[in-house]
Amino acid sequence: MTSPSSSVHEARKALGKRLAEIRQAAGLTKRALAQYLGWHESKASRFESGTRAPSERDLRDWCSACDAESVTEDLISTARGIEGMYIEWRKMERHGLKWAQESVVPLWERTERFRIYSPWLIPGPVQTASYITALLTSIRDRRGIDDVPAAVKVRVEKQQVVYGKRKFAIILEESVLRCRIGGTEVMAGQLGYLLSVMALPSVSIGIIPQDADRSGLWPVEGFFLYDDELVNVELISAHLTVVQKNELAMYARTFSELAELAVYGPAARELITAAIESLG
């Protein structure tokens, strides 16, 4: 998998390459463009190499100087998307946990096909309210944000997408079933709910057994793949959004390979039931 930092850098490099093509089509050297705009030549070089992110004003000036105003808004939209790819949690949650939950509602609503891999937790669309409360309480305690009840309400409401026409393919590591979140009762309720939601025609749940041969593909970071539009990855420090087509293809391929390692139906139910029984 590509690292978060390289994902963002590759997107900036792609934008820089596009800026270079616009400049070259206008018959301008970097020096000539910089002189025309009153910049130091290194500023134009850093934009084209992807080592510095251009502002909206920079992009407007660049396009104006290159007589390419028709692509200005497209470039600005691209730049905004890049800046939103890697967002630290403290920035995303500065308005509270409720706002952070609400911010992804439009994405959930427009997605038709969800592919989710989780090596650590039961994922959001199939969590119980008690499990969500335990998770968000932990986040509150670590990050000092205190609007858990409101955030839980939003998150539970988001889960209605599971009961519609959308398709959910979820792959879990077996260890997820034995990672006790919120205590014995909360975990038992969550696993019981997982058994019931498996019966929904819109939901496919596969579990990779702990004794599966992982020589070809070991556990990777958890991710949500929304249609073929983007991937979200939750890191310790930040929320990563991947939009580059080659990287989306990597995640889609990895999901397929993980799915081949998983068991489904009765075999998956047996693993969940065994995890419930282990709770005592």
Side-chain angles (χ1 to χ4, degrees):
M1 284 295 179
T2 306
S3 71
S5 58
S6 66
S7 176
V8 176
H9 183 58
E10 286 303 313
R12 285 181 175 159
K13 282 175 62 178
L15 176 60
K17 182 179 179 181
R18 194 170 173 193
L19 291 174
E21 291 170 350
I22 292 170
R23 173 183 58 75
Q24 291 164 356
L28 294 171
T29 64
K30 281 182 281 190
R31 177 172 294 179
L33 176 65
Q35 287 178 342
Y36 180 81
L37 294 174
W39 296 350
H40 192 282
E41 184 179 348
S42 63
K43 180 175 180 178
S45 294
R46 288 196 295 270
F47 287 161
E48 291 190 6
S49 67
T51 56
R52 176 175 173 178
S55 67
E56 291 187 18
R57 182 72 266 167
D58 292 329
L59 292 172
R60 293 187 188 281
D61 290 344
W62 190 289
C63 291
S64 177
C66 297
D67 195 24
E69 287 91 344
S70 62
V71 299
T72 302
E73 295 307 318
D74 186 39
L75 289 175
I76 289 173
S77 177
T78 298
R80 287 174 177 169
I82 294 170
E83 290 308 303
M85 288 176 68
Y86 189 86
I87 305 176
E88 291 184 358
W89 287 117
R90 61 183 177 81
K91 182 177 181 181
M92 186 174 184
E93 297 169 349
R94 66 185 183 278
H95 300 302
L97 291 170
K98 176 176 180 288
W99 183 89
Q101 295 299 317
E102 290 174 334
S103 67
V104 297
V105 169
L107 175 59
W108 280 42
E109 290 180 340
R110 70 174 180 265
T111 299
E112 296 296 328
R113 182 189 181 197
F114 294 74
R115 280 166 285 179
I116 304 168
Y117 166 69
S118 180
W120 310 305
L121 303 168
I122 305 296
V126 291
Q127 292 172 349
T128 65
S130 296
Y131 191 89
I132 294 169
T133 299
L135 290 174
L136 295 185
T137 298
S138 176
I139 292 173
R140 178 202 66 190
D141 294 343
R142 293 200 309 273
R143 299 176 187 158
I145 307 167
D146 194 12
D147 61 344
V148 170
V152 171
K153 183 174 183 295
V154 173
R155 194 146 169 172
V156 169
E157 290 172 350
K158 283 163 53 180
Q159 293 175 330
Q160 294 306 308
V161 297
V162 174
Y163 299 94
K165 297 180 179 179
R166 297 170 179 83
K167 297 297 183 182
F168 291 80
I170 300 171
I171 304 297
L172 306 176
E173 297 286 346
E174 184 184 351
S175 57
V176 170
L177 308 178
R178 299 178 182 275
C179 182
R180 298 195 182 189
I181 303 295
T184 301
E185 288 188 14
V186 170
M187 200 63 203
Q190 175 61 74
L191 294 176
Y193 179 66
L194 204 59
L195 285 172
S196 65
V197 80
M198 289 174 72
L200 295 174
S202 60
V203 178
S204 168
I205 295 179
I207 299 172
I208 301 177
Q210 288 183 317
D211 60 359
D213 185 350
R214 307 306 293 269
S215 303
L217 181 62
W218 50 89
V220 297
E221 70 269 21
F223 60 87
F224 278 54
L225 176 55
Y226 299 89
D227 292 326
D228 292 311
E229 179 184 352
L230 62 83
V231 166
N232 277 345
V233 183
E234 294 189 358
L235 308 173
I236 291 175
S237 60
H239 182 272
L240 171 68
T241 299
V242 176
V243 296
Q244 297 297 303
K245 288 185 178 180
N246 65 313
E247 294 186 50
L248 292 177
M250 289 174 64
Y251 277 96
R253 184 169 60 251
T254 298
F255 185 86
S256 295
E257 293 172 355
L258 289 164
E260 291 178 2
L261 294 170
V263 297
Y264 303 84
R269 289 180 176 276
E270 285 182 13
L271 292 176
I272 297 172
T273 301
I276 294 173
E277 292 173 350
S278 73
L279 293 172

